[in-house]
C-alpha cells in the first residue's frame, strides 16, 4: 500500500453550522479584502523604481535577437551578466520589499530626535541620553531596515559595462556551437524616465563544420590503440566545443584503461585550422610523449604500457602500523593478503571484490570499480589503492598494486529519535536502536539487529477522553547481508560481480495499537540486489512473506465511527429485528451490526440489490472484512529503478521505477499438485488462513526541468494495478491504493478521494487501480524561501475484483472522466538537509459530484485542504 508516513498533512476546514446568507456575506467580505490587497499591491508596484538613483534606470527586461528573431531559450539568457529583478505575475515583490527599507535610517533617527529638541528632552527625561542613542541601533530604527534589504532585492540598474561583457560571453557561447564569426551589439531602450530594457542583437553567420581530422600521436603504442576506436570528431559534423571535450575524456579513459598509467588529459590538444576555408575547419589531434623532470631539466619519452606484476592486500591497515612487521599472510586467486595481526577474512570474500588481475594491463576503470565494491562491503573505511613501479622489472614496465583496507569496528550501535506526523498520526515520536555486526561468518557479511518503537496521538480513535498518546507500535527486525549472490549454481555470466550483487535475508515482527484494531505483523524476505549500470538499481525478491493478524476485529465499529453511523442510519429505516438495537434504536456493536448486515445481504429486509442503501451496506461490509481479516501473503517481485540525477543539486533529471509482483502463485501450484482440499468458500488455506493471490504492477516516472537557475518545473506520472485471481477476489488492504494527501492529490485528504465517482465516504477509501499525474512549478521567492504552483490529477478505481458498486468501478475508457483535479499553491523553506513544506490545495474538479457541478463548485477555502510536509512531494 502506498502509504506515505514520512509526510505531514493537516486538513483545515472553515465550514460550520452557519446560515447560507452568513456564508455568502463572508464570501463578499473576503472578496472585498482580496480586491483591496490586490489594488494596494498594484499601486505600490508602480513605484518599483523608488530606490533608483537619479539619471539611472531600472533594468526591467532583456531581449536577445538572433538574426532578427527573438529568442526564448533560457540557457542563452543565462549568459547575461545582468538579470532583471525577480517577478511573479508581472510584479516584483522582492524589489518592493527592498524599497520598504529606509536607505538612511541614521538621518531619520537624527531628524526625529536630535533635530527636535523638545522631543529629545522629553525622551531623555524618561530614558537616559545613552539609552536614547542606543535606540539608533535597535530593531525598529536599524534592524528592520537591514532585514528588509537582506530579504528583498536591490534594484538592478542598467550597466552598459556589464552589457558589453555580456556580449563577449554571448559570442563565446555561440563560438562553442560552431559560429566563429558572430557580430553582437546591444541597445538600451528607455521605457520611462527610470525604466529601460536591453536588446541584444546577434548576427551569427553560418556555422563551421569539421572538414578533416588528422592525428599526431607521438607514442606508437598509443597510436595503435587509438586507431582501433572511433573518434567523436567526425568530418561533416558541425563544430561543437563539447565534442572536443568529450573526445579528450574518451581518449584519456581509453589510454589509461590500456596500461598508460602515467597518461593525463593535459597531454592532448587540438589544432583547428580555418584559414582559406569557407565555414570549414581542419582538425589535428596532438598527443605528446611523457614529460618528466630529471634534476633541473625536462625530459620526454614514449609512454609505457604497464602490467600488474603483483597485487598486495593489507587487510587490517592503519597508518601507525605502516612500518610494523607482517604477522599473517595468505595467497589466493593470484593475490597476496597480509595482516599485521591474524587475518580474519575468508580470502575469497576480499579477492572477489578486486577486479585487478595479475599479468593484466593497468586499468583505471577496474581500479575505480574495485574501490566501489570494497566500499560497498560496509566493513571497511574508504579503501586506498596505490600503484608503485616494480623494482624487480628491469624494463620498469610493471606495477605493484597495493590495496590498504582499514576495518570498521566489528560491533557498532546506532540510534535514531525523531518526531513524526502521518496519515494516521497527528503527532508521534519514533525511535530505533540498531546493533551492526560485521564480518559475521568471516565472509564480509553484515548483520543488523534492530528494535524500534513509536508512540503517537490520533484524533481518529473513538474515545475522546483517552490519553494523548493513544497509538503505539514496536517491533524487532533482523537483516543479514551477503556481498554475493547465494544460489545453487554460478550466476557470474548473468550477474557479473561488476554489478556489485548482494543477497539479503530479513525477518521482522511488529505489534501496533493503531486506531483501536491492533495488529501483529510478521514479515520476511529473501532478495537479490544488483546495479547493472551506474544510477540503475535492480531488486529481485525471490520470496517475500507477510502475515497480518488483527487482534481486536470486534472493535471495528467502535473505531470507524463514520461507517457505523452510515450503517446505523440505514438500520433505523430498514431493521426489523428488535434484538439488534438498544433502547435508543441504535444498532448494538457487534451483534446488531453483524446481524443487520447479514439480513440486508441475504435479502431478509425490504432492501433490494438495486437499491442505493443496499450497495452502501455491501460497501461497509466489504470494507470491514478487508480491514479486519487476517492476511497471509507469499509473493515474488522484481523492481527496477533508473535515474539520471547526478547529485543533490541536479535539477534537470528523470527517475523511472517499475515493479511487478506476484503473490500466491507458488502456493496454488503446490496445492494443485498435492490435490489439497478447499474450504467452504472454495479456496485453499495455509495455517487455517486463506492466502492472497494476485498480480500487481506499478510504473512511476518523475521528471524535473531546470527552467532557470532558481526555478524548476517537476512532474510525476504513476500507474498501478493489482488484479486478484485464483484464491482471492480482492486485494489485501496493505497492498491496495489510496488517493489524496500531502504527496498525492493535495485537494483531498488522504483516503478521502474515490474510488471513481463514488460519494460514499468510508473511513479509508481504497481500491486496486490508481492513476496519478502531478505538475509543479517551483520558484525562488527569496533566500531560503521558495514557492510553488501545482496541479494534481488522479483517482483510484476497483477493477476485476469483488466490488460491484458501479460508481467505484473502472469499466471503460469513459471512466477517465472521473479523474479528479486539485490545484493550489505552496510555500517551502529550505533547511539544506530537508525542506519544510506548506501546501494549500483546492478541489478544482470533483468527480463525486453531479456532472454539472464538478468544475469549481468547491473551489473555495471552505473545501480546501492544508498540507504540511517534509521535503518535496516528488
Amino acid at each position: 500500500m502506498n502509504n506515505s508516513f514520512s509526510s505531514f498533512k493537516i486538513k483545515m476546514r472553515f465550514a460550520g453550522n452557519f446560515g447560507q446568507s452568513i456564508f455568502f456575506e463572508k464570501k463578499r467580505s473576503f472578496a472585498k479584502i482580496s480586491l483591496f490587497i490586490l489594488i494596494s499591491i498594484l499601486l505600490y508596484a508602480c513605484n518599483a523604481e523608488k530606490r533608483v538613483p537619479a539619471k539611472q534606470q531600472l533594468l526591467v527586461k532583456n531581449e536577445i535577437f538572433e538574426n532578427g528573431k527573438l529568442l526564448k531559450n533560457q540557457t542563452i539568457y543565462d549568459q547575461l551578466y545582468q538579470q532583471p529583478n525577480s517577478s511573479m505575475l508581472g510584479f516584483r515583490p522582492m524589489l518592493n520589499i527592498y524599497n520598504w527599507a529606509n536607505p538612511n535610517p541614521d538621518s531619520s533617527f537624527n531628524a526625529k530626535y536630535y533635530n527636535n529638541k523638545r522631543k529629545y528632552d522629553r525622551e531623555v527625561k524618561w530614558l537616559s541620553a545613552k539609552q536614547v542613542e542606543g535606540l539608533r541601533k535597535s530593531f525598529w530604527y536599524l534592524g528592520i531596515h537591514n532585514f528588509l534589504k537582506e530579504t528583498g532585492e536591490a534594484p538592478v540598474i542598467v550597466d552598459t559595462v556589464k552589457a558589453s561583457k555580456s556580449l563577449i560571453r554571448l559570442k563565446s557561447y555561440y563560438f562553442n556551437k560552431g559560429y566563429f564569426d558572430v557580430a553582437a551589439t546591444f541597445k538600451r531602450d528607455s521605457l520611462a524616465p527610470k525604466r529601460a530594457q536591453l536588446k541584444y542583437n546577434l548576427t551569427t553567420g553560418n556555422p563551421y563544420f569539421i572538414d578533416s581530422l588528422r592525428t599526431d600521436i607521438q607514442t606508437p603504442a598509443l597510436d595503435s590503440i587509438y586507431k582501433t576506436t572511433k573518434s567523436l570528431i567526425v568530418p561533416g559534423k558541425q563544430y561543437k566545443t563539447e565534442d572536443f571535450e568529450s573526445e579528450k575524456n574518451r581518449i584519456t579513459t581509453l589510454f589509461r584503461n590500456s596500461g598508460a598509467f602515467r597518461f593525463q588529459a593535459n597531454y592532448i590538444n587540438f589544432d583547428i585550422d580555418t584559414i582559406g576555408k569557407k565555414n570549414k575547419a581542419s582538425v589535428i589531434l596532438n598527443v605528446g610523449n611523457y614529460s618528466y623532470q630529471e634534476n633541473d631539466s625536462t625530459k620526454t619519452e614514449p609512454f609505457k604500457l604497464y602490467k600488474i606484476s603483483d597485487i598486495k592486500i593489507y587487510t587490517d591497515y592503519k597508518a601507525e602500523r605502516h612500518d610494523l612487521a607482517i604477522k599473517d599472510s595468505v595467497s589466493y586467486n593470484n593475490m597476496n593478503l597480509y595482516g599485521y595481526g591474524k587475518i580474519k577474512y575468508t580470502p575469497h570474500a576480499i579477492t572477489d571484490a578486486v577486479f585487478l588481475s595479475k599479468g593484466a594491463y593497468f586499468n583505471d576503470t577496474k581500479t575505480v570499480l574495485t574501490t566501489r565494491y570494497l566500499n560497498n562491503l560496509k566493513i571497511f573505511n574508504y579503501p586506498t589503492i596505490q600503484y608503485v613501479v616494480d623494482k624487480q622489472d628491469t624494463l620498469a614496465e610493471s606495477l605493484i598494486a597495493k590495496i590498504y583496507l582499514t576495518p570498521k569496528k566489528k560491533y557498532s550501535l546506532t540510534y535514531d529519535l525523531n518526531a513524526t506526523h502521518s496519515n494516521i498520526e497527528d503527532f508521534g515520536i519514533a525511535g530505533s536502536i540498531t546493533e551492526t555486526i560485521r564480518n559475521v561468518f568471516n565472509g564480509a557479511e553484515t548483520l543488523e539487529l534492530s528494535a524500534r518503537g513509536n508512540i503517537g496521538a490520533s484524533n481518529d480513535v473513538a474515545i475522546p477522553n483517552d490519553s494523548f498518546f493513544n497509538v503505539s507500535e514496536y517491533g524487532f527486525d533482523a537483516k543479514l547481508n551477503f556481498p554475493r549472490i547465494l544460489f545453487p549454481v554460478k550466476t557470474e555470466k548473468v550477474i557479473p560481480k561488476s554489478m556489485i550483487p548482494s543477497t539479503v535475508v530479513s525477518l521482522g515482527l511488529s505489534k501496533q495499537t493503531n486506531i483501536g484494531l491492533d495488529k501483529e505483523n510478521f514479515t520476511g524476505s529473501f532478495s537479490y540486489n544488483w546495479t547493472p549500470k551506474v544510477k540503475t538499481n535492480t531488486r529481485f525478491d525471490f520470496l517475500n512473506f507477510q502475515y497480518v493478524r488483527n487482534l481486536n476485529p470486534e472493535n471495528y465499529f467502535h473505531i470507524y465511527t463514520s461507517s457505523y453511523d452510515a450503517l446505523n442510519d440505514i438500520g433505523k429505516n430498514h431493521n426489523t429485528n428488535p434484538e439488534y438495537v438498544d433502547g435508543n434504536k441504535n444498532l448494538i456493536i457487534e451483534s446488531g451490526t453483524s446481524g443487520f448486515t447479514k439480513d440486508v445481504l441475504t435479502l431478509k429486509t425490504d432492501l433490494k440489490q438495486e437499491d442505493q442503501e443496499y450497495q452502501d451496506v455491501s460497501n461497509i461490509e466489504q470494507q470491514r472484512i478487508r480491514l479486519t481479516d487476517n492476511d497471509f501473503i507469499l509473493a515474488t517481485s522484481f523492481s527496477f529503478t533508473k535515474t539520471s540525477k547526478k547529485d543533490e543539486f541536479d535539477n534537470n533529471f528523470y527517475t523511472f521505477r517499475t515493479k511487478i509482483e506476484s503473490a500466491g502463485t507458488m502456493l496454488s501450484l503446490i496445492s494443485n499438485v498435492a490435490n489439497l482440499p478447499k474450504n467452504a468458500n472454495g479456496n485453499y488455506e495455509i495455517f487455517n488462513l486463506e492466502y492472497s493471490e494476485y498480480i500487481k504492477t506499478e510504473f512511476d516516472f518523475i521528471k524535473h526541468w531546470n527552467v532557470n537557475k532558481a526555478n524548476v518545473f517537476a512532474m510525476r506520472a504513476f500507474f498501478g494495478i493489482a488484479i486478484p485471481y485464483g484464491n482471492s477476489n480482492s486485494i489485501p488492504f496493505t497492498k491496495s491504493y489510496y488517493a489524496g494527501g500531502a504527496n498525492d492529490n493535495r485537494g483531498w485528504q488522504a483516503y478521502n478521494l474515490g474510488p471513481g465517482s463514488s460519494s460514499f465516504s468510508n473511513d479509508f477509501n481504497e481500491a486496486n487501480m490508481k492513476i496519478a499525474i502531478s505538475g509543479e512549478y517551483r520558484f525562488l521567492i527569496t533566500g531560503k524561501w521558495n514557492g510553488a504552483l501545482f496541479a494534481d490529477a488522479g483517482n483510484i478505481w476497483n477493477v476485476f475484483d469483488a466490488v460491484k458498486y458501479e460508481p467505484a468501478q473502472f469499466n471503460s475508457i469513459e471512466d477517465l472522466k472521473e479523474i479528479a483535479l486539485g490545484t493550489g499553491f505552496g510555500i517551502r523553506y529550505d533547511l539544506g538537509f530537508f525542506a519544510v513544506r506548506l501546501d494549500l490545495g483546492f478541489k478544482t474538479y470533483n468527480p463525486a459530484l453531479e456532472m454539472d457541478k464538478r468544475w469549481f463548485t468547491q473551489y473555495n477555502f471552505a473545501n480546501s485542504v492544508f498540507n504540511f510536509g517534509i521535503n518535496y512531494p516528488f
Side-chain angles (χ1 to χ4, degrees):
M1 187 176 185
N2 292 2
N3 294 342
S4 178
F5 291 102
S6 62
S7 62
F8 292 52
K9 66 167 183 46
I10 302 171
K11 184 174 183 182
M12 182 176 290
R13 292 188 179 276
F14 298 94
N17 297 321
F18 296 102
Q20 192 175 31
S21 61
I22 296 176
F23 175 73
F24 284 114
E25 183 62 33
K26 285 196 171 188
K27 287 184 69 176
R28 283 195 292 269
S29 299
F30 177 77
K32 291 177 182 179
I33 294 172
S34 301
L35 182 62
F36 174 77
I37 294 173
L38 181 61
I39 292 174
S40 299
I41 293 174
L42 285 170
L43 291 174
Y44 198 80
C46 295
N47 199 22
E49 64 271 17
K50 180 179 180 181
R51 303 299 181 198
V52 176
K55 297 183 180 181
Q56 296 192 23
Q57 293 178 304
L58 179 73
L59 178 62
V60 296
K61 190 177 184 181
N62 285 321
E63 288 185 338
I64 302 176
F65 293 86
E66 179 188 293
N67 301 322
K69 182 181 179 181
L70 179 63
L71 298 179
K72 295 184 179 180
N73 187 339
Q74 185 60 42
T75 303
I76 300 178
Y77 281 86
D78 288 341
Q79 308 303 314
L80 303 179
Y81 278 94
Q82 280 194 301
Q83 303 290 347
N85 291 99
S86 60
S87 62
M88 183 171 26
L89 302 177
F91 302 111
R92 304 185 190 278
M94 295 302 103
L95 175 58
N96 286 335
I97 289 175
Y98 182 90
N99 288 342
W100 286 341
N102 187 335
N104 194 352
D106 274 342
S107 298
S108 300
F109 182 83
N110 291 338
K112 184 172 183 179
Y113 289 103
Y114 293 106
N115 297 341
N116 188 338
K117 190 174 186 307
R118 182 179 298 177
K119 182 175 181 63
Y120 177 77
D121 292 341
R122 186 168 60 248
E123 293 293 336
V124 169
K125 185 177 180 179
W126 289 96
L127 304 169
S128 68
K130 184 177 181 180
Q131 288 175 321
V132 171
E133 178 61 25
L135 292 175
R136 182 190 299 274
K137 296 183 179 180
S138 67
F139 176 77
W140 294 111
Y141 288 95
L142 181 63
I144 188 171
H145 301 291
N146 288 337
F147 171 78
L148 293 172
K149 288 179 181 179
E150 292 174 0
T151 302
E153 293 177 359
V156 178
I157 307 301
V158 174
D159 188 332
T160 55
V161 174
K162 291 183 178 180
S164 298
K165 290 183 178 180
S166 294
L167 291 181
I168 297 174
R169 185 178 281 181
L170 286 170
K171 292 175 72 173
S172 176
Y173 175 85
Y174 276 86
F175 183 93
N176 291 331
K177 300 293 183 182
Y179 296 91
F180 296 166
D181 305 316
V182 176
T185 61
F186 74 88
K187 177 184 177 184
R188 180 207 296 237
D189 278 353
S190 295
L191 306 177
K194 287 193 174 185
R195 292 188 177 210
Q197 68 175 5
L198 290 175
K199 291 185 177 180
Y200 297 86
N201 292 286
L202 306 172
T203 303
T204 64
N206 295 319
Y208 277 71
F209 291 82
I210 305 299
D211 181 44
S212 62
L213 172 66
R214 292 190 298 112
T215 62
D216 182 11
I217 303 176
Q218 296 181 20
T219 300
L222 298 186
D223 187 43
S224 298
I225 295 171
Y226 175 83
K227 289 178 178 178
T228 63
T229 64
K230 184 178 289 187
S231 175
L232 299 177
I233 310 300
V234 181
K237 187 177 180 181
Q238 184 174 331
Y239 174 94
K240 290 184 179 179
T241 300
E242 62 183 79
D243 290 342
F244 286 80
E245 291 297 323
S246 298
E247 176 68 355
K248 196 172 185 178
N249 293 332
R250 185 191 74 85
I251 294 173
T252 302
T253 301
L254 172 67
F255 290 166
R256 287 186 61 82
N257 284 346
S258 302
F261 170 65
R262 300 190 185 280
F263 191 85
Q264 300 294 334
N266 58 356
Y267 285 100
I268 304 172
N269 65 74
F270 297 92
D271 290 335
I272 301 172
D273 182 14
T274 61
I275 298 176
K277 300 178 178 66
K278 185 176 181 180
N279 301 120
K280 291 185 178 181
S282 297
V283 179
I284 301 176
L285 166 64
N286 300 298
V287 180
N289 278 332
Y290 172 60
S291 174
Y292 62 96
Q293 291 290 124
E294 187 174 285
N295 297 323
D296 294 331
S297 60
T298 301
K299 295 186 176 182
T300 62
E301 65 179 21
F303 280 97
K304 294 179 181 180
L305 301 185
Y306 291 86
K307 288 187 176 182
I308 297 176
S309 60
D310 196 5
I311 302 172
K312 298 182 177 181
I313 305 172
Y314 299 88
T315 61
D316 54 355
Y317 178 79
K318 293 181 181 179
E320 59 269 22
R321 291 179 171 180
H322 186 76
D323 296 325
L324 298 180
I326 297 296
K327 294 184 178 180
D328 192 11
S329 65
V330 62
S331 295
Y332 185 83
N333 198 22
N334 282 328
M335 302 180 197
N336 298 310
L337 283 70
Y338 300 100
Y340 294 96
K342 183 176 177 58
I343 296 176
K344 300 178 180 179
Y345 308 95
T346 304
H348 75 83
I350 305 300
T351 59
D352 283 354
V354 177
F355 292 83
L356 312 179
S357 301
K358 186 175 180 179
Y361 282 107
F362 165 81
N363 188 301
D364 213 13
T365 298
K366 289 184 178 180
T367 303
V368 173
L369 195 56
T370 298
T371 302
R372 181 180 166 209
Y373 198 121
L374 287 168
N375 192 55
N376 196 66
L377 292 178
K378 299 179 181 179
I379 62 172
F380 301 110
N381 293 322
Y382 197 79
T384 300
I385 302 178
Q386 295 180 356
Y387 292 91
V388 296
V389 176
D390 190 346
K391 295 180 180 180
Q392 295 182 358
D393 183 0
T394 57
L395 299 176
E397 294 180 349
S398 299
L399 297 174
I400 298 176
K402 295 184 176 182
I403 303 174
Y404 298 96
L405 305 176
T406 303
K408 294 181 178 180
K409 292 181 178 180
K410 185 175 182 66
Y411 302 95
S412 64
L413 190 67
T414 58
Y415 60 90
D416 182 46
L417 182 67
N418 52 66
T420 62
H421 197 143
S422 70
N423 300 327
I424 301 297
E425 293 178 340
D426 295 315
F427 176 76
I429 299 175
S432 65
I433 184 169
T434 302
E435 174 74 12
T436 301
I437 307 172
R438 298 178 178 87
N439 198 34
V440 180
F441 307 118
N442 295 331
E445 306 86 0
T446 56
L447 174 64
E448 294 181 4
L449 302 174
S450 302
R452 52 187 167 85
N454 176 56
I455 55 174
S458 173
N459 60 12
D460 289 325
V461 179
I463 306 173
N465 296 323
D466 202 357
S467 60
F468 178 75
F469 288 110
N470 46 27
V471 176
S472 66
E473 179 179 1
Y474 61 88
F476 303 92
D477 301 285
K479 183 171 72 173
L480 180 60
N481 184 297
F482 297 87
R484 63 193 71 90
I485 295 292
L486 296 183
F487 201 69
V489 298
K490 291 185 177 181
T491 59
E492 177 70 19
K493 291 184 178 180
V494 180
I495 307 175
K497 69 176 185 177
S498 59
M499 295 183 180
I500 312 182
S502 64
T503 304
V504 179
V505 181
S506 66
L507 292 171
L509 166 66
S510 65
K511 183 175 181 179
Q512 60 182 213
T513 304
N514 188 2
I515 55 178
L517 290 180
D518 303 348
K519 295 177 182 291
E520 287 181 343
N521 200 347
F522 301 88
T523 59
S525 68
F526 185 93
S527 61
Y528 301 112
N529 301 272
W530 66 94
T531 56
K533 295 181 180 179
V534 178
K535 300 175 185 175
T536 301
N537 293 302
T538 305
R539 172 171 175 156
F540 174 57
D541 280 4
F542 182 70
L543 287 177
N544 191 318
F545 76 86
Q546 181 179 19
Y547 173 56
V548 180
R549 180 188 174 201
N550 291 285
L551 303 179
N552 299 306
E554 66 279 1
N555 267 357
Y556 182 81
F557 285 113
H558 284 297
I559 305 307
Y560 297 100
T561 55
S562 64
S563 294
Y564 172 78
D565 291 341
L567 183 67
N568 192 47
D569 289 343
I570 298 173
K572 288 182 177 180
N573 296 324
H574 301 282
N575 177 47
T576 58
N577 192 330
E579 295 181 359
Y580 295 162
V581 296
D582 58 18
N584 296 320
K585 305 297 183 182
N586 293 319
L587 292 174
I588 300 171
I589 304 173
E590 165 91 0
S591 60
T593 53
S594 60
F596 173 66
T597 298
K598 184 177 180 180
D599 287 352
V600 171
L601 298 181
T602 55
L603 301 178
K604 293 182 180 179
T605 68
D606 59 337
L607 289 173
K608 307 300 181 185
Q609 289 184 339
E610 59 271 15
D611 294 337
Q612 179 62 53
E613 290 180 317
Y614 177 93
Q615 294 293 339
D616 290 344
V617 172
S618 177
N619 288 339
I620 293 171
E621 179 62 8
Q622 286 180 358
Q623 188 78 354
R624 186 194 67 82
I625 292 173
R626 291 166 66 78
L627 288 174
T628 58
D629 268 3
N630 299 331
D631 291 319
F632 181 80
I633 304 169
L634 181 63
T636 298
S637 67
F638 177 83
S639 59
F640 174 83
T641 303
K642 181 178 177 61
T643 182
S644 64
K645 190 169 186 177
K646 299 176 183 177
D647 52 47
E648 194 70 23
F649 304 100
D650 186 4
N651 286 322
N652 193 16
F653 69 93
Y654 72 86
T655 298
F656 173 73
R657 182 186 66 86
T658 185
K659 180 179 181 180
I660 184 168
E661 178 178 330
S662 176
T665 306
M666 187 181 302
L667 292 176
S668 288
L669 179 62
I670 294 173
S671 299
N672 280 321
V673 171
N675 198 24
L676 298 179
K678 296 183 177 181
N679 61 15
N681 297 325
N683 294 326
Y684 292 114
E685 292 184 347
I686 183 171
F687 309 127
N688 295 321
L689 180 67
E690 292 183 7
Y691 58 84
S692 297
E693 190 170 10
Y694 62 84
I695 187 167
K696 181 179 183 180
T697 186
E698 295 178 348
F699 301 92
D700 195 359
F701 180 75
I702 296 173
K703 181 72 174 80
H704 286 210
W705 288 272
N706 196 8
V707 180
N708 55 38
K709 293 181 180 179
N711 299 351
V712 174
F713 180 76
M715 64 83 64
R716 181 195 183 198
F718 176 87
F719 173 78
I721 185 171
I723 302 174
Y725 68 96
N727 217 55
S728 299
N729 58 14
S730 63
I731 299 300
F733 182 78
T734 56
K735 297 293 182 178
S736 61
Y737 297 104
Y738 75 94
N743 290 337
D744 196 69
N745 197 321
R746 285 162 279 185
W748 281 260
Q749 270 192 316
Y751 298 101
N752 274 11
L753 173 59
S757 61
S758 60
S759 58
F760 180 77
S761 178
N762 288 323
D763 294 270
F764 289 94
N765 293 321
E766 44 80 39
N768 65 322
M769 188 179 87
K770 178 176 181 176
I771 297 175
I773 302 174
S774 293
E776 184 170 277
Y777 181 68
R778 302 166 184 168
F779 53 89
L780 176 66
I781 298 177
T782 182
K784 296 183 178 181
W785 290 97
N786 294 272
L789 300 173
F790 61 82
D792 301 321
N795 206 336
I796 55 174
W797 292 269
N798 288 96
V799 59
F800 304 125
D801 65 357
V803 175
K804 303 303 180 185
Y805 186 42
E806 182 67 24
Q809 291 181 310
F810 188 94
N811 296 314
S812 68
I813 199 72
E814 288 292 320
D815 289 323
L816 290 178
K817 64 187 178 184
E818 296 171 350
I819 290 180
L821 176 64
T823 57
F825 59 89
I827 299 293
R828 289 85 192 274
Y829 187 75
D830 190 356
L831 292 172
F833 48 94
F834 70 89
V836 178
R837 172 165 54 96
L838 299 173
D839 290 330
L840 186 62
F842 297 89
K843 295 176 177 63
T844 307
Y845 178 84
N846 188 353
L849 302 178
E850 296 179 15
M851 188 65 71
D852 60 343
K853 296 180 180 179
R854 292 181 175 181
W855 281 104
F856 296 108
T857 55
Q858 292 184 323
Y859 199 89
N860 49 56
F861 285 102
N863 291 283
S864 64
V865 175
F866 183 62
N867 297 281
F868 175 49
I870 295 295
N871 288 328
Y872 294 94
F874 50 86

